[in-house]
Amino acid sequence: MSFEEFQNRARLFVVGALEPDEMTEFEDARREFGEKAEAFITECYALSEAFALSLKPSKASDQIKARLMEMVKNRQPQ
């Protein structure tokens, strides 16, 4: 595996999207590329965390809230 392919798989690894058979190959390449690989994985984690923190929660619309409250109100006791 080339380092470029490793980088592509590292991005998938960070988000948990590698298939089991890809994981074995990835771990082999991770050992082969050593510190360079670890540095790239660390960078991917940092970027992933920064992206997640940059997201703003969406506000539920008043219509959705009203529908939910109506469903709760009309719920049949079991």
Side-chain angles (χ1 to χ4, degrees), residues 7-74:
Q7 289 174 311
N8 291 331
R9 289 200 185 176
R11 292 177 184 106
L12 295 172
F13 168 76
V14 166
V15 297
L18 280 183
E19 298 292 327
D21 59 319
E22 293 174 315
M23 189 63 134
T24 302
E25 242 184 293
F26 175 78
E27 289 298 338
D28 290 344
R30 186 176 184 173
R31 281 189 293 280
E32 178 185 337
F33 293 119
E35 287 183 32
K36 186 177 175 182
E38 295 306 318
F40 188 78
I41 291 170
T42 300
E43 183 181 340
C44 288
Y45 273 120
L47 290 172
S48 177
E49 289 171 8
F51 175 72
L53 292 172
S54 74
L55 299 175
K56 295 180 183 174
S58 63
K59 184 178 177 186
S61 72
D62 291 335
Q63 184 181 18
I64 292 172
K65 287 179 185 177
R67 282 180 49 206
L68 179 60
M69 293 308 293
E70 188 66 27
M71 289 170 62
V72 170
K73 186 173 97 176
N74 294 331

